[in-house]
Amino acid sequence: MANRLAESTSPYLLQHADNPVDWWPWSPAAFAEAASRDVPVLLSVGYAACHWCHVMAHESFEDAETAALMNKHFVNIKVDREERPDVDAVYMTATQAMTGQGGWPMTCFLTPAGEPFHCGTYYPPTPRGGMPSFKQLLAAVVEAWTERSDEVRTAAGKLVASLATHSSPLPQSTVDLDGAVTSLLGDFDRRHGGFGGAPKFPPSMVLEFLIRHHERTGSVEALSIVEATAEAMAGGGIYDQLAGGFARYSVDAGWVVPHFEKMLYDNALLLGVYTHLARVTAAPTVSRVARETAEFLVRDLGTAEGGFASALDADTEGVEGLTYVWKPQQLVDVLGKEDGAWANTLFGVTDEGTFEYGTSTLRLLAEPSDFSRYEQVRARLWAFRTQRPQPARDDKVVAAWNGLAIEALAQAGRVFEEPSWIAAAIRAAVLLIDVHMVDGRLRRTSRDGTVGPSFGVLEDYSCVAAGLLALYQASGEARWLSEAVSLLDLALARFADPATPGAYFDTADDAEALVHRPSDPGDNATPSGASALASALLTASLLVGADRAGAYRQAAEEAVARAGVLASRAPRFAGHWLSVASALALGPVQVAVSGSSPALVDAAVANVHGGAVVVSGAPDSSPLLADRPLVDGRPAAYVCRGYVCDRPVTTVDDLVTALSRE
């Protein structure tokens, strides 16, 4: 059979290129083949760092008998959800509608027209826990298709119609910021930090909103949630105590045992949270974790072409967590008896273990009293760990997630005065503009400097624009503002719902037509495309000239007005929306430093609230600096909130005072 996945830029598809399954990539040709053979499509969706995707691949897709059944009775399509989030979104919605839950691997059976008629997730090779085996499922689907084909097609068509009616835009409503905080307080896990029970995910965007709420209102409760959660995560097994960086989630409520994959988007968002929290708290852990996370991004996820890789795998040589877990004797062997015993106590490594087979994840159970000793022990353990087998890296570059990384590194570079992080953000931005922009449109992915075939979705345009706006402020290079404006104009032109001001589709108006055009406003693992767009539009409205500023702000306000119901009913899935609404409530704040004054710039960066912009340069060198001259020949800072400005100030103390006013 033809190896149709061999030329893919997706590491996930390449992992399946040698399967005995006759895989097709997502393409019109695959559906044409299903129609000509009059067989269903078996759609399998996953991603490279997914543990259970690997398990199902090994158990079923590498099995010759199972593959023979698949090849005989289906056209089999393999999709990388990170490369085609539009395809994933459509069929995940169907899976959740059919089963009440979702996840990956996702397994869907479709008509040759692409309409789903049976969906699920992982299926074992033998019956288990009430689940049929995968081969039993295949046989049942074949029987239904053969014996009741008309009935199956009719049901699939009704499901697609139902999905379309349930995806209408949200009504306009006011975002209740105080009400959202009250609701979040009720969901807060006061024992372990975070929200809800196991599995527990880092609530990055909710924490960002709560920081902004504290900055805006002085709320002690909001800040306490952030501090408790940030400290708990930083001390837990979800955080890599040796190399920095966060795992995807904790399988328990106490952040002890992670699902070991490390995703770019999680670490970019968490870098932002810890950076912004460092502006309002003196806790040494917060700054340390921010610095270590930034270094992890640059060191372990940076690619040779300048971008950032998508993820580190959950597994090492097929074993989850193999790289990361320890037994007490192993620490003694590496460190010696005295330091090993000290490290076992510090990191919570016990004979009973916290993970599998008597192994433990490393946690920092208390801030070390002897920090110098801690640093030496950590360095020795990390050096030893680098000699172990290492997890695979999904080195495709995803535009949206690189946008998040650019934004976080640019902001952290300013706050912590680390120009190397800003330089790393610039390298990634150059890659996105030079490689991902093709014929004036943004592509979703690249790998090894070769752009992939998938067109960018709304989150790509929005997150990259937001990253470039942060980079413009950090670097002062006008190019990044210009590129961001181009992306925002494209997003407004191609993704807006023309019938509903403030509503957006996740795919462009000229994108491949799927059975349903996705439009999900909810913030999940990453900001929704619409909330990211609203944020970027609001920021851009403060940085561009008058010809665009009003339109951008109006578009941001109209988008936020569609998020009120979501923020009220499910604030944990509206964190980014709430941050944008909070910035709107503050003005947002704008600081323009006219003239060369690193001291004024540093003071502004250290004291602004979330969502603010800080620009510096010669008078009239940028739109925000227009008509803002020096004062008595001295550099001056101009502080505005929305459309109201204070008098310019020339000293750091006066600037800090101006920024502290409500």
Side-chain angles (χ1 to χ4, degrees):
M1 66 186 71
N3 189 337
R4 300 183 186 89
L5 306 184
E7 300 303 317
S8 173
T9 56
S10 162
Y12 177 65
L13 297 191
L14 291 173
Q15 289 173 358
H16 294 271
D18 295 325
N19 290 166
V21 176
D22 184 14
W23 290 115
W24 292 69
W26 180 273
S27 61
F31 287 96
E33 175 73 7
S36 68
R37 289 173 53 193
D38 191 26
V39 296
V41 168
L42 192 164
L43 173 65
S44 177
V45 182
Y47 58 104
C50 167
H51 171 71
W52 287 103
C53 298
H54 297 327
V55 172
M56 189 168 177
H58 177 68
E59 293 173 341
S60 296
F61 304 147
E62 296 173 9
D63 177 69
E65 184 179 348
T66 304
L69 287 172
M70 295 171 65
N71 296 338
K72 180 177 180 180
H73 297 290
F74 303 92
V75 169
N76 305 290
I77 298 179
K78 177 62 74 173
V79 167
D80 182 342
R81 66 170 295 264
E82 296 172 348
E83 191 171 60
R84 290 299 303 263
D86 51 340
V87 172
D88 178 65
V90 167
Y91 294 103
M92 182 58 71
T93 301
T95 300
Q96 291 169 335
M98 289 183 184
T99 68
Q101 60 186 4
W104 301 275
M106 179 166 60
T107 307
C108 297
F109 296 90
L110 321 177
T111 69
E115 298 170 325
F117 61 86
H118 185 88
C119 297
T121 54
Y122 165 81
Y123 292 95
T126 56
R128 184 189 309 161
M131 285 190 293
S133 72
F134 187 51
K135 285 188 284 189
Q136 286 176 327
L137 175 66
L138 297 177
V141 171
V142 170
E143 180 183 9
W145 184 262
T146 303
E147 303 296 330
R148 305 185 303 278
S149 180
D150 290 344
E151 179 182 333
V152 167
R153 293 174 191 265
T154 299
K158 289 181 178 179
L159 174 64
V160 169
S162 175
L163 294 177
T165 61
H166 284 85
S167 62
S168 57
L170 294 171
Q172 290 184 329
S173 57
T174 301
V175 176
D176 182 358
L177 297 172
D178 293 333
V181 173
T182 300
S183 179
L184 291 168
L185 280 168
D187 288 342
F188 178 56
D189 182 345
R190 297 183 181 276
R191 180 180 179 188
H192 300 297
F195 301 93
K200 185 173 282 185
F201 292 80
S204 307
M205 287 166 281
V206 169
L207 297 181
E208 179 67 33
F209 159 61
L210 291 171
I211 292 172
R212 295 189 183 192
H213 188 77
H214 164 74
E215 291 174 329
R216 185 174 64 87
T217 68
S219 169
V220 174
E221 293 86 354
L223 182 60
S224 69
I225 290 176
V226 181
E227 289 183 310
T229 303
E231 290 279 351
M233 291 192 301
I238 193 172
Y239 183 66
D240 188 337
Q241 303 296 337
L242 302 184
F246 290 86
R248 178 73 192 92
Y249 63 87
S250 173
V251 301
D252 58 276
W255 310 108
V256 177
V257 177
H259 186 53
F260 290 91
E261 61 186 334
K262 289 182 179 179
M263 308 301 298
L264 172 60
Y265 54 77
D266 283 319
N267 284 281
L269 290 167
L270 286 165
L271 172 57
V273 168
Y274 280 86
T275 295
H276 301 152
L277 183 58
R279 289 199 300 220
V280 297
T281 179
T285 299
V286 173
S287 294
R288 175 177 61 81
V289 169
R291 289 180 174 277
E292 291 172 0
T293 303
E295 292 296 335
F296 162 75
L297 284 174
V298 175
R299 181 191 63 243
D300 291 352
L301 294 183
T303 70
E305 295 73 33
F308 295 97
S310 297
L312 297 183
D313 207 331
D315 301 348
T316 302
E317 297 183 345
V319 180
E320 188 175 11
L322 178 66
T323 302
Y324 301 104
V325 296
W326 301 79
K327 291 184 176 182
Q329 188 59 46
Q330 291 175 318
L331 268 66
V332 172
D333 291 343
V334 174
L335 301 171
K337 185 175 181 181
E338 186 175 342
D339 279 347
W342 185 77
N344 279 320
T345 300
L346 182 68
F347 291 122
V349 179
T350 65
D351 290 330
E352 295 79 14
T354 57
F355 187 50
E356 299 173 345
Y357 311 112
T359 61
S360 295
T361 59
L362 297 188
R363 295 168 290 151
L364 193 60
L365 300 183
E367 277 295 308
S369 56
D370 186 342
F371 199 77
S372 175
R373 184 182 188 186
Y374 158 75
E375 286 283 272
Q376 293 175 8
V377 162
R378 178 173 173 265
R380 291 164 65 190
L381 290 176
W382 185 13
F384 179 84
R385 199 184 76 181
T386 61
Q387 304 306 309
R388 290 176 169 179
Q390 299 296 306
R393 188 172 83 157
D394 181 345
D395 54 0
K396 72 175 178 297
V397 171
V398 175
W401 305 351
N402 273 252
L404 295 174
I406 290 167
E407 181 178 18
L409 286 167
Q411 293 178 349
R414 296 187 92 186
V415 170
F416 294 106
E417 300 181 15
E418 290 287 353
S420 64
W421 300 346
I422 298 173
I426 290 173
R427 291 193 296 272
V430 169
L431 175 71
L432 293 180
I433 299 304
D434 290 354
V435 174
H436 284 240
M437 291 297 294
V438 179
D439 297 328
R441 301 292 286 275
L442 185 63
R443 294 284 181 91
R444 171 76 174 174
T445 63
S446 69
R447 184 168 184 256
D448 296 335
T450 300
V451 72
S454 302
F455 289 95
V457 295
L458 181 59
E459 71 162 358
D460 294 305
Y461 285 83
S462 305
C463 292
V464 173
L468 297 182
L469 293 171
L471 192 55
Y472 164 66
Q473 296 174 69
S475 69
E477 294 182 33
R479 174 190 182 186
W480 306 124
L481 177 60
S482 176
E483 297 287 3
V485 165
S486 296
L487 292 172
L488 293 175
D489 288 346
L490 278 166
L492 290 172
R494 293 293 186 178
F495 294 88
D497 182 344
T500 312
Y504 293 87
F505 292 102
D506 292 328
T507 55
D509 55 2
D510 58 351
E512 175 190 358
L514 304 175
V515 295
H516 162 59
R517 190 177 180 189
S519 176
D520 184 359
D523 298 321
N524 206 308
T526 58
S528 70
S531 69
L533 179 63
S535 179
L537 286 168
L538 182 59
T539 300
S541 74
L542 309 175
L543 298 172
V544 298
D547 57 328
R548 280 188 171 89
Y552 282 0
R553 183 174 180 109
Q554 180 181 346
E557 290 174 344
E558 288 175 345
V560 171
R562 296 282 170 192
V565 171
L566 177 65
S568 174
R569 296 179 180 175
R572 287 169 58 185
F573 297 93
H576 204 59
W577 284 116
L578 289 163
S579 287
V580 182
S582 186
L584 274 169
L586 269 171
V589 176
Q590 310 137 55
V591 183
V593 178
S594 182
S596 178
S597 176
L600 286 176
V601 173
D602 290 346
V605 169
N607 291 280
V608 292
H609 293 172
V613 300
V614 178
V615 170
S616 62
D620 296 315
S621 61
S622 69
L624 196 58
L625 288 162
D627 300 319
R628 286 172 169 165
L630 305 180
V631 174
D632 297 330
R634 301 170 61 188
Y638 292 77
V639 177
C640 301
R641 291 170 177 81
Y643 303 107
V644 179
C645 297
D646 296 343
R647 65 176 178 83
V649 297
T650 59
T651 70
V652 167
D653 288 344
D654 286 345
L655 176 56
V656 172
T657 299
L659 290 172
S660 67
R661 297 193 192 106
E662 291 297 326

Short mmCIF file of all heavy atoms in Angstrom, two decimals, residues 578-602:
data_model
loop_
_atom_site.label_atom_id
_atom_site.label_comp_id
_atom_site.label_asym_id
_atom_site.label_seq_id
_atom_site.Cartn_x
_atom_site.Cartn_y
_atom_site.Cartn_z
N LEU A 578 -12.64 37.05 30.92
CA LEU A 578 -12.71 37.86 32.13
C LEU A 578 -11.51 38.79 32.24
O LEU A 578 -11.64 39.92 32.72
CB LEU A 578 -12.80 36.94 33.36
CG LEU A 578 -14.14 36.20 33.51
CD1 LEU A 578 -14.00 35.03 34.47
CD2 LEU A 578 -15.23 37.15 33.99
N SER A 579 -10.34 38.33 31.79
CA SER A 579 -9.17 39.21 31.80
C SER A 579 -9.35 40.39 30.86
O SER A 579 -8.98 41.52 31.18
CB SER A 579 -7.91 38.41 31.41
OG SER A 579 -7.50 37.55 32.45
N VAL A 580 -9.92 40.13 29.69
CA VAL A 580 -10.14 41.22 28.74
C VAL A 580 -11.17 42.20 29.31
O VAL A 580 -10.99 43.43 29.24
CB VAL A 580 -10.62 40.67 27.38
CG1 VAL A 580 -10.80 41.83 26.39
CG2 VAL A 580 -9.62 39.67 26.82
N ALA A 581 -12.24 41.66 29.90
CA ALA A 581 -13.25 42.53 30.49
C ALA A 581 -12.67 43.35 31.63
O ALA A 581 -13.02 44.52 31.82
CB ALA A 581 -14.43 41.70 30.97
N SER A 582 -11.78 42.75 32.41
CA SER A 582 -11.13 43.47 33.50
C SER A 582 -10.25 44.59 32.97
O SER A 582 -10.22 45.70 33.52
CB SER A 582 -10.31 42.49 34.34
OG SER A 582 -9.76 43.12 35.48
N ALA A 583 -9.52 44.33 31.88
CA ALA A 583 -8.70 45.38 31.26
C ALA A 583 -9.58 46.52 30.76
O ALA A 583 -9.23 47.71 30.90
CB ALA A 583 -7.87 44.79 30.12
N LEU A 584 -10.71 46.18 30.17
CA LEU A 584 -11.64 47.22 29.71
C LEU A 584 -12.12 48.07 30.88
O LEU A 584 -12.24 49.30 30.78
CB LEU A 584 -12.84 46.58 29.02
CG LEU A 584 -12.70 46.26 27.53
CD1 LEU A 584 -13.85 45.39 27.06
CD2 LEU A 584 -12.63 47.53 26.70
N ALA A 585 -12.39 47.42 32.02
CA ALA A 585 -12.87 48.16 33.19
C ALA A 585 -11.81 49.13 33.72
O ALA A 585 -12.15 50.15 34.34
CB ALA A 585 -13.27 47.17 34.29
N LEU A 586 -10.55 48.83 33.47
CA LEU A 586 -9.46 49.71 33.91
C LEU A 586 -9.12 50.78 32.89
O LEU A 586 -8.31 51.66 33.17
CB LEU A 586 -8.20 48.88 34.19
CG LEU A 586 -8.02 48.37 35.61
CD1 LEU A 586 -6.85 47.40 35.67
CD2 LEU A 586 -7.83 49.51 36.59
N GLY A 587 -9.65 50.68 31.72
CA GLY A 587 -9.36 51.71 30.74
C GLY A 587 -9.10 51.24 29.32
O GLY A 587 -9.74 51.71 28.41
N PRO A 588 -8.11 50.37 29.05
CA PRO A 588 -7.00 49.91 29.89
C PRO A 588 -5.97 51.04 30.12
O PRO A 588 -6.07 52.11 29.53
CB PRO A 588 -6.37 48.79 29.06
CG PRO A 588 -7.34 48.48 27.99
CD PRO A 588 -8.09 49.76 27.74
N VAL A 589 -4.98 50.75 30.95
CA VAL A 589 -3.93 51.71 31.25
C VAL A 589 -2.92 51.76 30.11
O VAL A 589 -2.55 50.73 29.55
CB VAL A 589 -3.23 51.34 32.57
CG1 VAL A 589 -2.07 52.30 32.86
CG2 VAL A 589 -4.23 51.37 33.72
N GLN A 590 -2.49 52.97 29.78
CA GLN A 590 -1.45 53.17 28.76
C GLN A 590 -0.35 54.05 29.37
O GLN A 590 -0.65 55.05 30.01
CB GLN A 590 -2.02 53.89 27.55
CG GLN A 590 -3.29 53.30 26.99
CD GLN A 590 -4.29 54.37 26.63
OE1 GLN A 590 -3.99 55.27 25.86
NE2 GLN A 590 -5.49 54.29 27.20
N VAL A 591 0.88 53.64 29.17
CA VAL A 591 2.03 54.44 29.62
C VAL A 591 2.92 54.68 28.41
O VAL A 591 3.39 53.71 27.79
CB VAL A 591 2.82 53.76 30.73
CG1 VAL A 591 3.97 54.68 31.20
CG2 VAL A 591 1.93 53.39 31.91
N ALA A 592 3.13 55.93 28.08
CA ALA A 592 4.03 56.31 26.99
C ALA A 592 5.20 57.08 27.59
O ALA A 592 4.99 58.15 28.18
CB ALA A 592 3.31 57.15 25.96
N VAL A 593 6.39 56.51 27.47
CA VAL A 593 7.59 57.17 27.99
C VAL A 593 8.28 57.86 26.83
O VAL A 593 8.84 57.21 25.94
CB VAL A 593 8.53 56.18 28.69
CG1 VAL A 593 9.79 56.90 29.17
CG2 VAL A 593 7.82 55.50 29.86
N SER A 594 8.21 59.18 26.82
CA SER A 594 8.78 59.97 25.75
C SER A 594 10.22 60.34 26.09
O SER A 594 10.49 60.94 27.13
CB SER A 594 7.95 61.24 25.56
OG SER A 594 8.44 62.01 24.49
N GLY A 595 11.14 59.94 25.22
CA GLY A 595 12.55 60.15 25.49
C GLY A 595 13.19 58.90 26.06
O GLY A 595 12.53 57.89 26.33
N SER A 596 14.49 58.95 26.26
CA SER A 596 15.24 57.80 26.73
C SER A 596 15.37 57.83 28.25
O SER A 596 16.14 58.63 28.79
CB SER A 596 16.63 57.77 26.08
OG SER A 596 17.39 56.69 26.57
N SER A 597 14.61 56.94 28.91
CA SER A 597 14.69 56.85 30.37
C SER A 597 14.42 55.42 30.80
O SER A 597 13.27 55.04 31.07
CB SER A 597 13.69 57.79 31.05
OG SER A 597 13.73 57.60 32.46
N PRO A 598 15.47 54.57 30.86
CA PRO A 598 15.27 53.20 31.33
C PRO A 598 14.61 53.14 32.70
O PRO A 598 13.82 52.22 32.97
CB PRO A 598 16.69 52.63 31.35
CG PRO A 598 17.44 53.45 30.34
CD PRO A 598 16.85 54.82 30.44
N ALA A 599 14.89 54.09 33.56
CA ALA A 599 14.32 54.07 34.91
C ALA A 599 12.80 54.23 34.86
O ALA A 599 12.06 53.53 35.56
CB ALA A 599 14.94 55.17 35.76
N LEU A 600 12.30 55.16 34.03
CA LEU A 600 10.86 55.34 33.90
C LEU A 600 10.21 54.11 33.27
O LEU A 600 9.13 53.67 33.69
CB LEU A 600 10.56 56.58 33.07
CG LEU A 600 10.77 57.94 33.75
CD1 LEU A 600 10.52 59.07 32.75
CD2 LEU A 600 9.86 58.10 34.97
N VAL A 601 10.86 53.55 32.27
CA VAL A 601 10.32 52.34 31.63
C VAL A 601 10.25 51.20 32.62
O VAL A 601 9.22 50.50 32.73
CB VAL A 601 11.16 51.96 30.40
CG1 VAL A 601 10.69 50.61 29.84
CG2 VAL A 601 11.08 53.03 29.33
N ASP A 602 11.33 50.98 33.38
CA ASP A 602 11.34 49.89 34.35
C ASP A 602 10.25 50.09 35.40
O ASP A 602 9.58 49.13 35.82
CB ASP A 602 12.70 49.80 35.04
CG ASP A 602 13.79 49.30 34.10
OD1 ASP A 602 13.45 48.78 33.02
OD2 ASP A 602 14.98 49.44 34.46
#
